[in-house]
Amino acid sequence: MQNENETLHKLVMELQASNAQLQSQLLDIQVSNTITNNTNTTTAISKNVHNGAGHSSVISSNAQTKHTQLTDNDVIQSVPKIYKPPPITACGVNDIQNLVTILTREEVAGHEQQLKTFANGDIKISTEDEQQFRRTLKALEINKIEFHRFQLKAEKKFRVVIRGLHPETDICEIKRDLFDKGFPACDVSNIQIKKKLNPNDKNSETKRIRLPLFFVDLVPQGNNKDIYKLDSLCYHKIKIEPPRKKKDVPQCKNCQSFGHTQNYCRKKPVCVKCSEDHRTEDCQKSKKSKAKCANCGEAHTANWKGCSAYKKAEERVHPKKITAVQRIQQKPTKTVTAAISYAQMTSSPNINTTPQTSNQQQQSNVNDPSLLDILSALTNITKSLEKVTSRLDRLETWNANGLVQRKQELDDFLHNENIDIALVSEIHFTPWTVLKIRNYNIYTTLHPSGKARGGTAIFIKESIKHFELEEHSQLYLQATTVRVNDGNNDLTVTAIYCPPQGGADETKFTDFFRKLGNRFIVGGDYNAKHTH
């Protein structure tokens, strides 16, 4: 009975929405008829007055101008906004003349579709309006031409997120209240997440948790954006927000290509596991046999985020921004003028004032007696570190600013660059966060509050002998420490994060460094803001 009741409620809401649309259309027709009658009446009055006094003719013309302006504004408001249809991409077309004949068979001369051919052989078809768009789709489907398209804006529902409603609120009540406020909804759904009962256990059971968040799909109308002004619904104080945009590149589950989805794809199916021409659910590949990517041909499934084809598609959609530091590093080295004081210039007339290159300046600086002691000390330190880190070829420090959403980026970098130890700061972990990367052990230190902020982590290869030391979790400093055991030479490696305005001073740093022993490397984000 509850299911039938919900079905009836949905039907009632749909009927009410269609009734509202019909009433609005009827109102537009009535307004246009009224304006037409008023315009005709004004014209008749102006003719009669024109036969009388001259000043009456001026008044009638002004009145007619006002009615004409009113008519134009009402017509503009009543006409819905028309969007240009999205392009259609045809694939595997060998006979272009046949395609042109199929498309232009029912079109008026001078209003045919426009074609554009890409380097990979795909053909982009642009249409003028929605009717031509649908005729083109029908012609392609009848002639069994492979293509993919995108959703029409007229078909796209207006989605918002309601924050602050109790998760047990009845969906029918939400729809009814929104309809009363002038926002008929097609669909309302509660947002849920999965959480493990025991985060430290791999095989722990998961539990669905309902959040005080709801997705709402509104019927496309001109006043849809006014819903953001609502602050109360179903006796709750609420906040309405747009949904978060997905940063991932869309991938079709039918043909495994990037840039579109399976709902609007009419290509031949391709298996995500073996790249053969059949659906994934019909694949008979055994688990022992290697997978094959349909996009790059390598031994992995086509939906792996580390695929080279996916990275290229992602770079096209989200090009990397060059920072100011990278621009400075890309600039060519310039000649440097010799540093000569005014006193030296006046006392010694034979001083060479010609510009020196960077190499010449380095050589002159090395010959400076005040720097020789420093260079020799640095050489001794480097030699001692080379002995200690004989097995550690590559170390990395990185401020992740949230590691969960950037796990794949770290995974690719560790394996592609063959990193031995990665010191990561600002991981933003909580006690329920679980993250693993193959061939690496991970050690973490959370923020003392337990919230998703700050924190550090060390990723170290499983092949390196090491053991974890006591973590350091304070408001002013979070640090994760491991000791690498390489024969007689032990090295302490620490990932550190100091929040800005955290309160760390010289005394606290001294006490912390003394706990690490004689040989240590501490890398991370100090937020020092000063060379000292």
Side-chain angles (χ1 to χ4, degrees):
M1 289 178 68
Q2 288 179 352
N3 293 334
E4 291 177 358
N5 191 19
E6 289 181 1
T7 305
L8 288 173
H9 273 299
K10 289 181 179 179
L11 290 173
V12 170
M13 297 302 295
E14 290 176 358
L15 289 172
Q16 288 176 344
S18 61
N19 187 24
Q21 290 180 351
L22 289 173
Q23 287 179 356
S24 63
Q25 291 176 2
L26 181 62
L27 182 62
D28 292 338
I29 293 170
Q30 290 175 352
V31 170
S32 62
N33 290 335
T34 304
I35 292 169
T36 305
N37 294 332
N38 290 337
T39 306
N40 294 333
T41 304
T42 304
T43 306
I45 293 172
S46 65
K47 288 180 179 178
N48 293 331
V49 175
H50 181 68
N51 297 326
H55 67 277
S56 299
S57 177
V58 175
I59 294 172
S60 66
S61 63
N62 291 335
Q64 188 175 5
T65 304
K66 289 182 180 180
H67 280 291
T68 305
Q69 292 175 353
L70 179 63
T71 305
D72 293 340
N73 292 333
D74 288 337
V75 169
I76 291 171
Q77 291 179 0
S78 62
V79 174
K81 189 174 181 181
I82 299 174
Y83 296 97
K84 187 177 180 181
I88 304 168
T89 305
C91 310
V93 177
N94 297 323
D95 191 352
I96 186 65
Q97 195 59 40
N98 183 36
L99 177 64
V100 172
T101 305
I102 292 169
L103 295 178
T104 59
R105 188 175 296 161
E106 299 180 3
E107 302 301 328
V108 181
H111 295 278
E112 298 90 351
Q113 300 92 333
Q114 299 295 318
L115 308 182
K116 182 179 179 181
T117 304
F118 295 105
N120 60 354
D122 294 348
I123 298 175
K124 175 182 170 183
I125 306 171
S126 301
T127 55
E128 293 184 350
D129 51 29
E130 186 175 339
Q131 289 75 18
Q132 190 181 57
F133 179 81
R134 296 190 183 280
R135 286 197 302 269
T136 305
L137 292 179
K138 186 177 180 181
L140 293 174
E141 288 178 352
I142 291 174
N143 292 274
K144 297 182 180 180
I145 298 175
E146 295 184 15
F147 68 92
H148 72 262
R149 68 178 182 93
F150 302 95
Q151 188 179 23
L152 284 167
K153 285 201 173 182
E155 299 173 347
K156 192 173 184 180
K157 296 178 177 61
F158 190 84
R159 170 165 281 198
V160 295
V161 177
I162 299 180
R163 182 184 294 274
L165 273 180
H166 194 277
E168 298 297 333
T169 307
D170 188 12
I171 289 177
C172 295
E173 290 293 331
I174 298 174
K175 287 185 177 181
R176 190 178 297 113
D177 205 355
L178 284 172
F179 182 79
D180 293 340
K181 295 179 184 297
F183 304 103
C186 306
D187 189 27
V188 178
S189 59
N190 178 245
I191 301 176
Q192 303 178 3
I193 60 172
K194 287 183 180 180
K195 272 195 174 181
K196 289 186 177 181
L197 297 177
N198 185 4
N200 298 323
D201 185 9
K202 292 182 181 179
N203 302 321
S204 175
E205 295 182 357
T206 57
K207 179 183 178 182
R208 285 185 176 272
I209 299 177
R210 302 182 68 181
L211 302 177
L213 299 170
F214 286 85
F215 279 132
V216 178
D217 293 332
L218 299 178
V219 176
Q221 291 185 144
N223 67 335
N224 282 341
K225 291 187 178 180
D226 294 338
I227 196 173
Y228 293 118
K229 298 178 183 178
L230 287 182
D231 57 358
S232 63
L233 190 74
C234 297
Y235 310 104
H236 284 73
K237 283 287 184 182
I238 62 164
K239 184 178 180 183
I240 298 181
E241 304 171 349
R244 293 179 181 177
K245 293 182 179 180
K246 295 182 179 179
K247 294 184 179 180
D248 293 339
V249 179
Q251 184 176 12
C252 178
K253 294 181 181 179
N254 178 54
C255 68
Q256 312 306 328
S257 299
F258 301 106
H260 65 276
T261 58
Q262 63 177 348
N263 295 334
Y264 305 101
C265 179
R266 298 296 180 270
K267 298 181 184 179
K268 291 181 181 179
V270 177
C271 180
V272 71
K273 301 176 184 177
C274 63
S275 73
E276 297 294 333
D277 295 338
H278 57 256
R279 294 190 174 276
T280 303
E281 53 266 24
D282 299 333
C283 184
Q284 299 180 357
K285 185 185 79 66
S286 62
K287 293 183 178 180
K288 294 181 179 180
S289 59
K290 290 185 178 181
K292 184 179 179 182
C293 178
N295 296 312
C296 67
E298 296 180 1
H300 59 79
T301 56
N303 58 357
W304 184 48
K305 300 299 183 184
C307 176
S308 58
Y310 176 82
K311 290 180 180 179
K312 291 178 182 178
E314 191 176 30
E315 202 168 325
R316 286 195 299 269
V317 177
H318 306 293
K320 293 182 179 179
K321 294 181 179 179
I322 300 176
T323 62
V325 175
Q326 290 173 336
R327 283 198 298 270
I328 293 171
Q329 291 174 348
Q330 289 174 1
K331 288 184 178 180
T333 56
K334 298 181 179 179
T335 56
V336 182
T337 307
I340 303 171
S341 65
Y342 177 75
Q344 291 175 337
M345 183 70 72
T346 54
S347 61
S348 303
N350 295 326
I351 291 178
N352 183 13
T353 59
T354 57
Q356 293 179 332
T357 62
S358 58
N359 293 333
Q360 291 173 348
Q361 189 182 21
Q362 288 177 2
Q363 291 176 0
S364 61
N365 288 339
V366 170
N367 293 329
D368 189 354
S370 61
L371 295 178
L372 292 176
D373 295 336
I374 298 175
L375 288 174
S376 61
L378 286 174
T379 304
N380 294 332
I381 293 172
T382 304
K383 289 179 179 179
S384 62
L385 281 176
E386 285 177 354
K387 293 179 181 178
V388 176
T389 61
S390 59
R391 292 185 58 193
L392 304 180
D393 295 330
R394 300 177 75 83
L395 280 76
E396 172 211 10
T397 61
W398 183 38
N399 186 308
N401 194 19
L403 186 56
V404 174
Q405 61 269 29
R406 305 181 71 181
K407 177 199 169 187
Q408 190 60 51
E409 183 180 351
L410 177 63
D411 192 335
D412 296 340
F413 184 78
L414 291 178
H415 290 95
N416 294 339
E417 301 296 332
N418 194 23
I419 300 298
D420 293 316
I421 301 178
L423 312 178
V424 186
S425 55
E426 279 205 88
I427 57 175
H428 295 180
F429 278 12
T430 64
W432 298 277
T433 306
V434 178
L435 189 144
K436 293 184 178 181
I437 293 181
R438 57 187 174 89
N439 302 329
Y440 283 85
N441 291 329
I442 176 174
Y443 304 96
T444 60
T445 300
L446 308 183
H447 192 272
S449 65
K451 297 181 180 179
R453 62 176 67 171
T456 55
I458 291 182
F459 292 83
I460 184 169
K461 279 186 177 179
E462 295 176 349
S463 58
I464 297 175
K465 293 182 180 179
H466 66 280
F467 58 91
E468 185 182 13
L469 298 180
E470 182 182 0
E471 65 180 28
H472 196 89
S473 179
Q474 301 292 336
L475 290 175
Y476 63 87
L477 188 149
Q478 293 107 53
T480 307
T481 305
V482 298
R483 180 160 293 171
V484 180
N485 186 0
D486 190 10
N488 297 325
N489 298 318
D490 290 348
L491 175 66
T492 303
V493 182
T494 302
I496 190 172
Y497 174 68
C498 302
Q501 304 175 355
D505 54 19
E506 184 179 356
T507 305
K508 293 176 180 177
F509 273 122
T510 304
D511 294 339
F512 172 70
F513 289 142
R514 282 176 179 170
K515 295 178 182 178
L516 303 180
N518 296 327
R519 299 176 181 275
F520 61 84
I521 296 176
V522 183
D525 188 0
Y526 287 86
N527 274 307
K529 312 299 182 188
H530 198 276
T531 54
H532 287 184

